[in-house]
């Protein structure tokens, strides 16, 4: 027999309908069915005067069951359930706590009243899944809080807290405990007939008379959301709330939802939602394995990276010690951390007083003995193998037994570093991306001997820091930078063959990346790659020439582009164009016009090919992990789902054919289709099929 997911209890005239569907009380078919059934009984029961809608477990409902999106609809639909609560002849009160999201909030807004605990947060995050709230959210929220605030909330998908919700009119009371609070609230409404949200008009009046304020709020909400369909649909639908009657607005919302839910953008965003969670599942790891508690952390190296990592610990509430070799460098590092917090406070990203509160968790020392206190140590010193080996050997001598010893290397061999210690099981890579306190991706690199315990702890720490951890294998560049190297090679080739930086960047921007590769190079500093190339004895003729001329990018005001003093806006530079043309001529390359389609293919297919090799070698556990790396670490547009998801949409046979062509043209065997890619294409399969196989194996 299937578990009961909705309960009905009646006590002293109050019916409590409680959803019980762990972990997040998603409103799947069984729940919807149960709700209609319970409501029908409560409404028919003469003993019931008031109905409270509650949830058991850790939170009020987090919304529709996302796994049902894109599958055939099953009655009763959510809008039908909400309509029943709305039309109920007895007052209905939703008792909110935890995170009330999406369909959960739409259901609560279908009730006549809402109460919430002080810590409760609520929002309509559908836009993050490429959707708009499709069960009345765009029509009811404006009626409760006004169209300006509604459009801001719906387009951003951000949650608001109970206090703000009360001030704005989304809820009717803040209570100490959800169900009891709702019952107490029921006594205050007396016998007045319930007010339906759909009938409330007072917050719409101003926009009906003059929509200018709404249009300003809407324009503000969608700016910077290039290329995405859902935000515009959200705006249109909220506008309908004051230009149409309720029923017409609801019907239009439904139609837009159906269009979006079957589209590629929403499919991609739902894929990333589940991919991010799947990435934390490690095949073979015992399900009961508990991460070690980290009461104290240490970071070796107080440079920009080390300071950023220390901030991550402090932000997660973990005391952290920055360890440096000299007092001056240590002080500079601590000052930089403080200054970064101050900037966030000045910008309003952190509340006043946050600097002191966070800095209270950050200490500094030049005394290595202090490393003995730490449960986790992250080394963020220079990227040099001998130095890292020396640090780890020394660390091995002082660190407490069982402490996780991590390196923030972005390229070096984890096994070689682990071999400098007598405890390789505790050693792994924690590869943060710059700026470390901002970027969401965390590559956790496991070495040959890294234990599951150390990996589980690193994942838990990453999550507590608000990062998206992805476990990867040990190889040059790991997942992200290894694929990026393929793109960088193509960039240089495209310039030599006939393209210009601004043309390539424009194509990549149009695809949806926030920045093109050349503007990105200028931001990161071209000298970094130049130094690595010299060290490895390789050349990149155009980039090398730029560096020889001291054009290191933004920091020198000149790179692939020109930068006016103090500006970060790239301006195409005729000197660079001349230099590129000259280099092509010097190397005997006849330049040709290169079309945007070719540029796009060369900016994506060689990376997809490298992803296939990474999977062949077991460096990534599953294709969706690679998608997560690129979405959270490198700006791959989330609505394109990541490189593997995108490859499946394009079709692998097409990608294989184009790679063959480009490998032939360049003579670069690295561009030749990987065996796995070829095999999947021949079998009519995609990356998603490997993902399914990996999931089945893990289960
Ligand atoms: N439908 C289906 N499954 C959902 C879900 C939903 N709306 N929300 C969460 N889940 C699943 C997750 O996939 C995860 O499953 P797993 O354990 O098998 O990996 C599990 O519930 C727990 O979610 P998780 O995100 O890991 O927990 P959390 O405590 O970190 O966060 C939420 C909880 C509710 C904040 C977060 O899950 C969330 O934002 N959910 C989406 C809400 C949403 O977009 N709703 C709109 C849909 S209308």
């Amino acid at each position: 027999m299937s578990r009961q997911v909705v309960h009905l209890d009646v006590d002293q005239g109050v019916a409590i309908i409680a959803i019980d569907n762990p972990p997040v009380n998603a409103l799947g078919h069984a729940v919807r069915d149960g709700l209609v059934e319970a409501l029908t009984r409560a409404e028919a029961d003469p003993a019931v005067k008031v109905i409270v809608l509650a949830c058991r477990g850790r939170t009020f409902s987090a919304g529709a069951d996302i796994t049902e999106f894109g599958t055939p609809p099953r009655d009763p639909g959510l809008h039908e359930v909400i309509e029943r609560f709305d039309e109920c002849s007895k007052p209905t009160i939703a008792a909110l706590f935890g995170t009330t999201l999406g369909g959960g909030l739409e259901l609560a807004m279908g009730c006549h009243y809402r109460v919430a605990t002080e810590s409760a947060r609520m929002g309509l995050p559908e836009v993050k899944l490429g959707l708009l709230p499709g069960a009345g959210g765009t029509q009811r929220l404006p009626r409760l809080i006004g169209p300006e605030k509604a459009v801001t909330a719906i387009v951003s998908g951000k949650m608001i807290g109970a206090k703000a919700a009360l001030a704005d009119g989304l809820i009717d009371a803040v209570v100490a405990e959800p169900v009891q609070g709702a019952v107490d609230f029921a006594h205050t409404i007396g016998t007045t007939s319930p007010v339906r949200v759909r009938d409330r008009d007072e917050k719409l009046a101003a926009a009906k008379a003059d929509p200018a304020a709404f249009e300003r709020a809407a324009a503000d909400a969608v700016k910077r959301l290039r290329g995405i369909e859902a935000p515009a649909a959200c705006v249109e639908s909220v506008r309908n709330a004051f230009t149409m009657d309720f029923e017409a607005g609801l019907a239009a919302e439904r139609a837009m939802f159906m269009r979006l839910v079957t589209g590629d953008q929403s499919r991609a965003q739902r894929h990333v939602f589940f991919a991010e969670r799947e990435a934390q599942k490690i095949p073979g790891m015992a399900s009961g394995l508990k991460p070690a508690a980290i009461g104290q952390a240490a970071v070796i190296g107080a440079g920009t990276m080390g300071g950023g990592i220390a901030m991550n610990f402090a932000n997660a509430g973990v005391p952290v010690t920055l360890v440096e070799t000299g007092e001056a460098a240590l002080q500079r590092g601590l000052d930089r951390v403080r200054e970064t917090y101050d900037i966030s406070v000045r910008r309003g990203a952190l509340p006043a007083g946050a600097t002191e509160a966070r800095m209270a968790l950050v200490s500094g020392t030049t005394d290595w003995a202090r490393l003995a206190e730490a449960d986790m140590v992250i080394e963020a010193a220079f990227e040099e193998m001998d130095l890292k080996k020396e640090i780890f050997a020394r660390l091995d001598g002082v660190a407490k037994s069982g402490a996780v010893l991590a390196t923030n290397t972005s390229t070096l061999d984890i096994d070689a570093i682990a071999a400098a210690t007598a405890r390789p099981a505790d050693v792994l890579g924690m590869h943060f991306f710059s700026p470390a306190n901002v970027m969401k991706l965390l590559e956790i690199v496991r070495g040959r001997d890294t234990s599951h315990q150390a990996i589980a702890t690193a994942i838990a720490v990453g999550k507590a820091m608000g990062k998206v951890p992805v476990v990867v294998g040990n190889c040059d560049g790991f997942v992200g930078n290894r694929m990026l190297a393929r793109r960088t090679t193509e960039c240089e080739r495209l310039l030599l063959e006939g393209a210009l930086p601004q043309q390539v960047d424009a194509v990549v921007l149009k695809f949806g990346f926030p920045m093109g590769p050349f503007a990105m190079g200028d931001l990161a500093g071209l000298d970094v790659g130049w130094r690595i190339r010299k060290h490895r004895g390789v050349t990149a003729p155009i980039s090398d020439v730029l560096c020889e001329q001291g054009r290191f990018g933004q920091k020198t005001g000149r790179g692939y582009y020109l930068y006016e003093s103090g500006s970060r806006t790239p301006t195409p530079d005729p000197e660079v164009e001349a230099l590129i043309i000259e280099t092509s001529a010097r190397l005997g390359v006849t330049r040709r016009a290169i079309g945007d389609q070719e540029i796009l293919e060369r900016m994506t297919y060689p990376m997809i090919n490298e992803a296939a090799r990474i999977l062949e070698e077991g460096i990534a556990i599953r294709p969706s992990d690679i998608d997560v790396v690129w979405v959270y670490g490198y700006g791959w547009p989330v609505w394109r789902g990541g490189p593997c998801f995108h490859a499946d949409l394009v079709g692998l046979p097409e990608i294989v054919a184009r790679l063959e062509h480009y490998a032939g043209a360049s003579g670069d065997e690295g561009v030749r289709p990987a065996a796995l890619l070829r095999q999947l294409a021949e079998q009519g399969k995609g990356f998603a099929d490997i993902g399914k196989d990996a999931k089945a194996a893990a289960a």
Side-chain angles (χ1 to χ4, degrees):
M1 218 185 86
S2 59
R3 241 182 104 254
Q4 192 177 351
V5 290
V6 177
H7 307 268
L8 171 65
D9 291 298
V10 180
D11 184 30
Q12 298 184 32
V14 181
I16 295 166
I17 297 177
I19 303 172
D20 182 14
N21 187 26
V24 297
N25 290 312
L27 303 168
H29 177 253
V31 172
R32 300 195 302 271
D33 224 15
L35 284 173
V36 170
E37 210 248 339
L39 186 68
T40 307
R41 275 168 47 210
E43 202 175 5
D45 183 346
V48 171
K49 303 286 176 249
V50 178
I51 297 165
V52 170
L53 174 64
C55 284
R56 293 189 183 169
R58 72 186 208 209
T59 180
F60 196 83
S61 173
D65 185 338
I66 303 169
T67 57
E68 286 184 355
F69 289 171
T71 64
R74 289 176 73 189
D75 286 340
L78 185 54
H79 49 284
E80 209 176 314
V81 179
I82 294 173
E83 205 170 290
R84 290 292 309 275
F85 275 85
D86 185 344
E87 287 172 353
C88 183
S89 56
K90 298 173 180 174
T92 52
I93 307 168
L96 314 183
F97 69 105
T99 44
T100 299
L101 297 174
L105 184 58
E106 291 178 297
L107 177 59
M109 290 193 292
C111 293
H112 307 136
Y113 303 98
R114 286 148 298 284
V115 299
T117 58
E118 198 172 342
S119 61
R121 291 183 304 154
M122 49 216 92
L124 294 171
E126 284 85 345
V127 74
K128 296 182 183 167
L129 300 172
L131 298 167
L132 81 172
T138 65
Q139 304 306 296
R140 286 192 176 88
L141 192 63
R143 284 173 164 78
L144 285 167
I145 69 172
E148 293 82 22
K149 284 187 175 149
V151 81
T152 308
I154 292 173
V155 172
S156 72
K158 282 191 189 144
M159 289 195 247
I160 61 169
K163 264 194 197 143
L166 181 66
D168 290 346
L170 175 53
I171 59 172
D172 302 287
V174 173
V175 296
E177 196 278 330
V179 176
Q180 189 54 48
V183 172
D184 294 344
F185 182 81
H187 296 305
T188 67
I189 55 178
T191 52
T192 46
S193 55
V195 190
R196 296 187 166 77
V197 174
R198 65 160 69 197
D199 297 330
R200 295 178 49 173
D201 202 42
E202 67 275 14
K203 295 266 172 91
L204 302 181
K208 278 184 183 172
D210 179 6
F214 168 81
E215 295 303 341
R216 271 197 306 276
D220 203 41
V222 296
K223 77 171 181 241
R224 289 203 292 271
L225 295 172
R226 277 181 315 116
I228 328 180
E229 293 162 3
C234 290
V235 168
E236 188 182 335
S237 199
V238 175
R239 188 186 289 116
N240 291 344
F242 62 85
T243 59
M244 295 179 173
D245 66 32
F246 182 79
E247 288 303 333
L250 211 56
E253 177 197 85
R254 187 93 207 122
M256 280 190 256
F257 179 88
M258 293 313 289
R259 177 170 58 76
L260 291 173
V261 80
T262 50
D264 287 339
Q265 293 195 357
S266 175
R267 272 207 316 120
Q269 286 181 252
R270 274 148 36 213
H271 163 76
V272 174
F273 176 86
F274 287 114
E276 187 185 326
R277 283 152 182 85
E278 188 74 10
Q280 272 141 66
K281 294 173 189 154
I282 311 305
M285 187 183 277
S287 60
L289 183 65
K290 291 256 174 304
I294 304 298
Q296 173 71 49
V299 177
I300 301 176
T304 315
M305 203 61 183
I309 297 171
M311 289 175 78
N312 289 330
F313 278 114
N315 297 345
V318 179
V320 57
T321 308
L322 270 170
V323 183
E324 254 299 345
T325 42
E327 287 293 344
L330 178 63
Q331 198 51 51
R332 267 199 308 278
L334 288 168
D335 289 347
R336 195 180 307 115
V337 171
R338 175 176 288 277
E339 173 61 14
T340 313
Y341 277 132
D342 279 343
I343 292 171
S344 298
V345 171
R346 281 203 293 276
R347 282 197 191 135
L350 284 177
T355 301
E356 292 314 318
R358 306 273 162 110
M359 286 309 289
L361 294 170
V362 183
S363 61
T365 186
T366 52
D367 177 9
W368 271 67
R370 290 275 306 279
L371 287 165
E373 298 161 13
D375 304 298
M376 172 179 270
V377 181
I378 302 182
E379 164 276 316
F382 288 117
E383 195 71 342
E384 234 179 71
M385 183 54 98
D386 287 345
L387 176 66
K388 305 242 181 210
K389 281 186 178 164
E390 193 189 312
I391 290 175
F392 273 76
R394 238 179 119 187
L395 188 55
D396 194 24
V398 282
K400 71 162 78 155
S401 157
V404 174
L405 309 183
T407 166
N408 176 55
T409 181
S410 53
T411 48
L412 301 176
D413 180 358
I414 304 293
D415 290 330
I417 297 172
T421 74
R423 41 174 133 172
D426 299 335
V427 178
L428 44 70
M430 284 176 82
H431 180 206
F432 290 86
F433 289 71
S434 190
N437 54 315
V438 177
M439 295 295 290
K440 298 269 283 180
L441 178 64
L442 172 64
E443 280 185 328
I444 295 175
V445 191
R446 58 170 154 193
R448 196 175 40 231
D449 299 316
T450 309
S451 69
H452 278 162
Q453 177 65 64
I455 294 171
T457 304
I459 292 177
V461 166
K463 279 190 79 179
M465 289 171 168
K467 304 293 171 196
V468 179
V470 179
V471 176
V472 301
N474 183 23
C475 68
D476 189 10
F478 314 128
V479 169
N481 283 345
R482 176 167 161 182
M483 287 166 67
L484 183 67
R486 291 284 173 203
R487 188 174 85 172
T488 308
T489 304
E490 285 304 319
C491 278
E492 176 81 16
R493 265 189 206 135
L494 280 166
L495 295 190
L496 271 181
E497 290 171 29
L500 291 174
Q502 53 270 31
Q503 187 194 359
V504 176
D505 279 357
V507 170
V508 172
L509 270 177
K510 188 161 169 239
F511 183 76
F513 277 88
M515 239 184 180
F518 293 106
M520 187 72 212
D522 276 357
L523 174 67
L526 303 181
D527 51 324
V528 182
W530 188 39
R531 238 179 291 122
I532 295 175
R533 284 196 299 277
K534 280 206 266 194
H535 187 71
R536 294 184 174 178
V538 292
T539 58
I542 292 168
S543 190
D544 289 349
V545 171
L546 291 180
C547 288
E548 279 154 22
Q549 298 191 356
R551 302 187 69 119
F552 292 163
Q554 282 191 21
K555 60 182 155 191
T556 55
R558 299 167 344 136
Y560 285 107
Y561 297 99
L562 267 182
Y563 299 85
E564 299 273 320
S565 105
S567 162
R568 290 170 170 272
T569 311
T571 314
D573 185 351
E575 252 182 50
V576 172
E577 185 173 341
L579 212 140
I580 291 171
I581 293 170
E582 203 180 290
T583 311
S584 303
R586 176 163 52 83
L587 297 174
V589 181
T590 311
R591 293 178 68 80
R592 64 185 169 92
I594 302 181
D596 288 357
Q597 178 60 24
E598 175 173 344
I599 291 177
L600 181 60
E601 290 175 2
R602 292 172 65 177
M603 287 295 93
T604 49
Y605 295 177
M607 290 207 305
I608 290 165
N609 198 30
E610 199 59 29
R613 288 203 189 93
I614 282 170
L615 287 163
E616 279 171 359
E617 294 169 24
I619 294 295
I621 295 170
R622 45 182 92 79
S624 62
D625 285 5
I626 297 175
D627 290 341
V628 173
V629 165
W630 270 80
V631 166
Y632 287 106
Y634 297 84
W636 186 286
V638 62
W639 49 275
R640 289 196 191 268
C644 297
F645 183 89
H646 177 69
D648 283 356
L649 271 189
V650 173
L652 299 192
E654 163 72 10
I655 294 178
V656 167
R658 297 307 292 156
L659 284 168
E660 281 293 4
H661 167 79
Y662 293 126
S666 65
D668 179 354
E669 283 307 304
V671 180
R672 191 80 62 197
L676 176 67
L677 202 63
R678 232 187 255 287
Q679 182 197 333
L680 288 171
E682 278 162 14
Q683 293 171 346
K685 289 185 170 176
F687 283 109
D689 294 293
I690 318 180
K692 280 184 212 137
D693 294 347
K695 206 167 174 172

